[in-house]
Amino acid sequence: MKIQSIRGFNDILPEKIKRWHRIEERARTIFELYGFSEIRIPVIEFTDIFARSLGTTTDIVEKEMYTFTDRDGSSITLRPEGTAGVVRAFIEHSMYAQSPITKLYYSGMMFRHERPQKGRYRGFYQIGAELFGSKEPLADAEVIIMLWRFFEAIGIAPYLKLEISSLGDENCRPAYKQKLVEFFMPSRNQLCEDCRRRLEVNPLRILDCKKESCKQIAQDAPSMLDNLCSECREHFESVKNTLTSLGALFVSNPRIVRGLDYYTRTVFEVTTEELGAQNTVGAGGRYDHLVEELEGPPTPAVGFAVGMERIILLHEKKFPEGFQKEVDTFIAHLGSEAKKTAFLLAYELRKNGVFTEMDYENKSLKSQLKRADKLGVKYTIIIGEEELSRGKVKVRDMRKSTEDEMNLEDVKKLAIKFRI
Ligand code: ATP
Ligand code: MG
């Protein structure tokens, strides 16, 4: 037997890991800015947790799960996604009793038995976030904007499209489903086998079918957005208005169905045209009844998950050189007193979270500025003996090529806590 990894499971080698670290770091920084804390959940749960959360007629539960019988006879499953486990933990640890709002994020490997291809694997990484406890449109908007800030912070936002829709709720969705059944019934025999079954059990799923012939038929299907009840319509409008007020660019796409049954109202997807067939880098939405369905107290919630491999593929394509080395400031110095001051100042600035470099030798100002330029720093702090005797230093804006004199004590207090 050849020694090799299981099909669809990849190694991430050291030469690639830096990019993963940087991207994960920025996700953490941004999510924490928005008040989310990490939760680490097991990679395996009772099968029931997934079947009940995702819905038994979804692709994942029907054909993609890695399910085993444990030694004691119980059915257990490698997690195909993160939300079900997070909700299970949220209920199990009574987090709802500790705070009206709970914000959690997770990151880790997911397992789905799919046909492996570029951007689609059997073991893959997701980062996701969940906000529990608010049904307000502000919560939906906040989660979406946070995700968008993450994409901006790693530089890929210009290559992404944000699409949003609403799936309605228990008031308006049943009637819409009925409309879909009526719409598809006459073309029943032209639908694929899966969709014929979906017509009976879950007609919404037909809108998500990847088969060309089904897509054709579905083209003129009634849209959920035209069939929302007034509460759902208002909610959707409010999410969109809030996003617009933050300057977010998005398009309404009533075709978004999502592969999981637990969504209500807002759903969204982030796609790219850069990766071929595997074009969705992340997706999410609101799920107001899932906590209840897993026997927790009624708790509205909204969240998302992004696929790390697809983000990495896109980032590699757009930034083949990786992340630029990050240096905010370079400290140039002239004379031995200035050099000592420079060393202390570098210490202070790094303590404040400012990425700082300096010259350890006694090079000429010209050669120090050359190095600062090469590092691509935003500011060079120049410490000369004369200015120092007055407690001052020069701060040179490298982009604008302008110089200002500042008090050394003020410069020491400069802080960049988050580079995003
Ligand atoms: P797709 O339509 O591509 O199958 P999905 O709707 O099944 O995606 P979700 O369950 O919403 O995906 O998961 C969120 C994100 O996780 C996806 O947008 C994608 O980036 C990533 N993802 C899902 N399945 C895989 C996989 N098999 N391999 C790599 N990434 C994946
Ligand atoms: Mg899928």
Side-chain angles (χ1 to χ4, degrees), residues 59-60 64 112 114 120 124 210 259 310:
D59 277 358
I60 295 182
E64 295 174 2
R112 295 185 194 177
E114 304 197 67
R120 188 177 297 284
F124 61 97
K210 307 268 187 323
R310 294 184 194 176

Side-chain angles (χ1 to χ4, degrees), residues 6 13 24 141 148 166 175 201 218 225 271 325 343 372:
I6 298 170
L13 298 178
E24 285 162 357
W148 202 256
S166 173
V201 292
L225 292 183
T271 56
K325 193 160 173 261
F343 191 70

Side-chain angles (χ1 to χ4, degrees), residues 60 64 80-81 112 114 117 119-126 208 210 258-260 263 269-270 277-284 304-311:
I60 295 182
E64 295 174 2
E81 56 100 65
R112 295 185 194 177
E114 304 197 67
Q117 49 200 294
R120 188 177 297 284
Y121 313 101
R122 291 182 173 174
F124 61 97
Y125 286 85
Q126 279 186 344
D208 203 25
K210 307 268 187 323
R258 309 292 311 115
L260 317 167
Y263 288 111
E269 285 186 353
V270 180
Q278 271 40 263
N279 62 354
T280 312
V281 302
F304 64 76
V306 296
M308 276 298 288
E309 284 80 358
R310 294 184 194 176
I311 287 179

Side-chain angles (χ1 to χ4, degrees), residues 368-386:
Q368 293 186 60
L369 287 177
K370 218 164 129 188
R371 173 135 181 262
D373 218 27
K374 212 163 163 198
L375 286 168
V377 300
K378 290 192 208 88
Y379 299 100
T380 301
I381 298 164
I382 304 166
I383 309 181
E385 304 268 297
E386 188 274 322

